[in-house]
Amino acid sequence: MKSLTSRRARAIVVAIAAGSLALTACSKNEGGKSNADSKKDQQEASVQSKAVTYADAAGSTGPAPEIAGAKSGGTIQVYQEAGLSHLDPGQIYVSDAGQVANLLFRRLTQFKEDDKGNVSVVGDLATDSGQSSDGGKTWTYKLKDGVKDANGKPITSADVRHSVERLYAKFIFDGPTYLQTWLSGADYRKALPGGGFDGKHLPATVLDTPDDKTVVFHFDTARPDLPQTLAMAGYGVVPEESDTKEKYDKAPVATGPYKIQSYKADKSLVLVKNTNWDPKTDSVRHQYVDGFNFQFGITESTQTKRLIADQGEDKNAIQLTNGVEATQIQDVVGNPKVNARVTKGYQPYVMQLTFNLDRVKDKKVREAVTYAVNSKALIAGEGGVYGGDVAPNYFAPTLPGYEPTYDPYGRLKTPQGNIAKASEMVKALPENEKTLVFAYANSENGQKRKVAIEDALTKVGFKVVAKEIDAASYYEQIGKLANPYDIYITGWGQDWPSAGTVVTPIYDGSQVADGSSNYSHVKDAKVDALIKKALTQEPTEAAATWKEAHHYLLENVIPSAPLWYTKQIMLSGSNIGGARYGSVSSLIDINHLFLKS
């Protein structure tokens, strides 16, 4: 799962998991208090490693439970610094668009969260979370009655089939690939190069739609995680007759409670009620407010100032994926009235300084950088104890198999970087290996990260050439195989509670391609063999295999330097009701909001 400056659309985990476009910051929160809070936070985060439950038809039937005190009417203002990465469901794998997708698009399944943070998978378009047979190799879904798109057209199995098959087309390059690879292998595009637009389809032995209400998936091995996979925003349904291919990214057709009234890329997005959405078919979403007014280009610091002041329309405002700006955190947490409007929690992301292995081929360079990076300075820029904790490895506290003491580079003892060791290593390098091209996002947080990375690497003898990238297209740019950068910050979090949703997407050699999440371009035979082995094992057996892969990657391959585990702290206006930290999104639960008056 990526967040915008920490890739991954929407986290699909259990208690406080998911994605942030840009995190928070403050350098005042250090010392013993930080350490104590970090341990407590990590213990709470471990709740997310609990498996979700799969709901039956009764648990999937709408309407969604009423929220205490909820009222109808009004428009929620939504503030965001960078523009949206995508609006085409098939392209959504980043938290900003994932949040919007919760309002716009339905999929076969969806996550449902109660007030205690317990999460289940329910049927969304489907009547339940899915029926498996043939030892888990076959999954059957029946569609609910009365589900229509925003144009009033009933959603049929043909629309679901089309939504899957279009993912094979080349213009879909930035979304999740679990389902496609499970159905057709790593080279899935070869199985249907036309994406279904040319009248050709996947064979019924792979994807079958025997009638208008039935969808059947056939896999070559058991896929017990399918219900969770299908709940990802990237598998939202695209009505076949409305599909405009590349143009769909700018004007998609809604199936959720809201639809697009107007969209000006990087400027604004206005959502209004979708009158063809039937709450009786939806056990998760509500339609309390009349609409959402998204405003882009508002910096995190400006958002924070306006929300602290809480005047005019700011009383009706939320942050989408940004958070409280670093230098203003104390102004928020130190004021009880303002702090009462805070939504915060742990995220599943591990922020890393990723190496482009096609360019940074010398392992000694990667080792030197890994020892040199200053996690302390980076975390200060994110908000200190409110923004994150030092990451000694690639597995977050929210992940099954997390090892808090696994620290091969001494990150916990030297969070500011092991300057002496790194300097000695750099001295031994050839001169042509000492220059590194660093790509960073042109956001406030991107600028802070740039300063911290430049300072740390320059201090030990590297020359850093910094290259600015538009924040909205950040992952698209670094996701190009032929990108001209040596290093860049990325972040990944589990798509559901399994190490396989971390190791496989970003380290599988078969995933090295344009638009893939394998940003370091790792192609290692041992890693690939361990991934293949783990994917055929039961979770308890697989845990040992994922651990072996994790250790081998960090100690022998070094595709990236672990930097920090992320947290989120967000602020809302005083008239926002229902604000809570979403276990699924690791952000404010956008499906749970209303205006108090």
Side-chain angles (χ1 to χ4, degrees):
M1 139 200 300
K2 59 181 172 185
S3 71
L4 196 50
T5 358
S6 47
R7 175 173 181 147
R8 199 177 97 125
R10 253 194 46 199
I12 298 178
V13 292
V14 273
I16 24 184
S20 130
L21 197 65
L23 304 174
T24 57
C26 172
S27 59
K28 298 179 182 178
N29 309 290
E30 299 170 357
K33 180 178 182 294
S34 175
N35 292 335
D37 286 351
S38 294
K39 290 179 181 178
K40 180 181 178 182
D41 289 344
Q42 291 186 17
Q43 288 173 352
E44 292 176 353
S46 67
V47 175
Q48 296 176 73
S49 64
K50 181 176 63 176
V52 302
T53 57
Y54 292 170
D56 58 13
S60 303
T61 300
E66 290 294 323
I67 297 171
K71 298 179 180 180
S72 296
T75 298
I76 291 179
Q77 307 296 322
V78 186
Y79 301 149
Q80 183 75 350
E81 184 169 353
L84 295 176
S85 49
H86 293 288
L87 279 175
D88 183 327
Q91 300 274 51
I92 294 177
Y93 210 171
V94 175
S95 55
D96 61 341
Q99 283 283 77
V100 178
N102 286 328
L103 301 172
L104 290 176
F105 308 123
R106 299 181 69 174
R107 34 271 200 190
L108 282 174
T109 61
Q110 179 58 285
F111 289 96
K112 185 175 183 177
E113 180 177 354
D114 66 20
D115 289 334
K116 296 180 180 179
N118 297 309
V119 175
S120 59
V121 178
V122 300
D124 190 2
L125 293 173
T127 56
D128 57 25
S129 56
Q131 298 294 321
S132 66
S133 57
D134 189 24
K137 295 180 181 179
T138 298
W139 284 84
T140 301
Y141 289 89
K142 295 284 187 178
L143 300 184
K144 293 176 179 176
D145 295 326
V147 179
K148 301 176 181 179
D149 66 21
N151 295 325
K153 179 186 177 297
I155 298 298
T156 69
S157 61
D159 295 309
V160 177
R161 181 186 64 195
H162 173 74
S163 302
V164 174
E165 292 180 339
R166 71 191 299 271
L167 302 175
Y168 288 63
K170 287 185 177 180
F171 73 87
I172 300 293
F173 59 87
D174 213 20
T177 60
Y178 292 109
L179 182 59
Q180 306 93 294
T181 55
W182 290 354
L183 289 171
S184 305
D187 294 327
Y188 65 89
R189 293 190 194 276
K190 294 180 180 179
L192 196 69
F197 292 98
D198 54 3
K200 297 179 180 179
H201 300 288
L202 293 171
T205 53
V206 173
L207 176 60
D208 193 13
T209 51
D211 57 56
D212 285 348
K213 286 295 184 70
T214 307
V215 179
V216 186
F217 297 97
H218 298 281
F219 304 102
D220 59 4
T221 189
R223 296 296 179 185
D225 291 338
L226 183 67
Q228 298 181 79
T229 309
L230 294 175
M232 298 176 74
Y235 295 120
V237 166
V238 174
E240 185 172 14
E241 72 173 28
S242 303
D243 197 344
T244 53
K245 297 184 179 180
E246 291 89 344
K247 295 179 181 178
Y248 199 75
D249 212 4
K250 302 302 180 185
V253 175
T255 50
Y258 295 91
K259 64 180 180 180
I260 297 173
Q261 182 180 74
S262 65
Y263 178 46
K264 297 180 181 178
D266 301 326
K267 294 182 180 180
S268 65
L269 171 68
V270 178
L271 304 186
V272 296
K273 285 185 177 181
N274 172 12
T275 55
N276 282 300
W277 173 78
D278 185 351
K280 293 192 294 292
T281 70
D282 198 325
S283 66
V284 177
R285 303 171 186 84
H286 299 279
Q287 201 183 49
Y288 290 127
V289 298
D290 296 329
F292 293 79
N293 180 17
F294 293 76
Q295 300 175 43
F296 305 107
I298 302 177
T299 64
E300 198 168 55
S301 58
T302 299
Q303 294 174 32
T304 306
K305 289 175 184 176
R306 289 171 61 171
L307 289 167
I308 289 175
D310 196 41
Q311 299 295 310
E313 68 176 14
D314 294 328
K315 292 182 179 181
N316 300 335
I318 64 170
Q319 296 179 291
L320 183 63
T321 64
N322 294 133
V324 175
E325 191 268 330
T327 62
Q328 300 176 72
I329 283 185
Q330 291 303 325
D331 296 330
V332 172
V333 300
N335 184 327
K337 289 186 178 180
V338 178
N339 193 43
R341 297 188 272 118
V342 158
T343 303
K344 62 183 179 180
Y346 223 105
Q347 297 186 302
Y349 295 102
V350 181
M351 302 302 293
Q352 305 164 37
L353 184 62
T354 297
F355 301 105
N356 180 343
L357 298 186
D358 292 332
R359 293 169 59 95
V360 188
K361 298 180 179 180
D362 191 336
K363 181 185 172 186
K364 293 179 180 178
V365 174
R366 304 197 294 275
E367 283 182 310
V369 170
T370 302
Y371 280 111
V373 287
N374 188 337
S375 290
K376 186 175 181 179
L378 286 160
I379 292 169
E382 302 297 318
V385 67
Y386 295 99
D389 294 326
V390 176
N393 57 63
Y394 299 149
F395 281 8
T398 59
L399 191 70
Y402 168 62
E403 299 174 85
T405 60
Y406 175 50
D407 186 15
Y409 296 95
R411 308 294 300 144
L412 298 175
K413 291 182 178 179
T414 56
Q416 75 283 1
N418 190 329
I419 308 303
K421 186 174 184 67
S423 297
E424 286 300 314
M425 297 179 76
V426 174
K427 284 181 183 178
L429 295 173
E431 283 302 315
N432 63 348
E433 299 282 1
K434 297 181 182 180
T435 298
L436 295 170
V437 180
F438 171 57
Y440 67 97
N442 64 346
S443 62
E444 285 187 337
N445 278 359
Q447 293 286 348
K448 294 174 188 174
R449 295 169 184 179
K450 166 184 173 288
V451 172
I453 293 296
E454 279 184 325
D455 179 68
L457 298 187
T458 301
K459 190 175 292 184
V460 300
F462 284 110
K463 177 184 177 182
V464 178
V465 179
K467 298 289 186 179
E468 184 178 278
I469 297 179
D470 175 62
S473 62
Y474 180 81
Y475 276 100
E476 182 178 339
Q477 297 303 313
I478 66 171
K480 295 178 180 178
L481 277 181
N483 78 68
Y485 315 116
D486 296 319
I487 51 177
Y488 24 81
I489 290 180
T490 66
W492 192 268
Q494 66 215 50
D495 286 311
W496 55 85
S498 167
T501 67
V502 172
V503 178
T504 306
I506 53 178
Y507 302 123
D508 186 343
S510 68
Q511 301 284 337
V512 177
D514 282 335
S516 163
S517 305
N518 189 335
Y519 297 112
S520 55
H521 311 159
V522 174
K523 278 188 177 181
D524 186 281
K526 182 171 181 177
V527 173
D528 291 345
L530 289 170
I531 290 173
K532 187 175 182 180
K533 178 182 177 182
L535 291 176
T536 64
Q537 295 175 314
E538 289 300 311
T540 50
E541 277 187 294
T545 308
W546 293 126
K547 177 179 178 179
E548 183 181 355
H550 179 204
H551 286 217
Y552 176 78
L553 280 160
L554 186 52
E555 297 173 39
N556 298 90
V557 181
I558 320 179
S560 62
L563 299 174
W564 76 93
Y565 300 134
T566 69
K567 300 177 184 178
Q568 181 67 299
I569 175 170
M570 309 176 78
L571 190 58
S572 302
S574 60
N575 197 37
I576 294 291
R580 69 177 184 182
Y581 196 71
S583 299
V584 175
S585 67
S586 284
L587 299 162
I588 192 168
D589 186 344
I590 206 164
N591 289 327
H592 204 255
L593 302 177
F594 61 90
L595 292 178
K596 298 175 183 177
S597 61

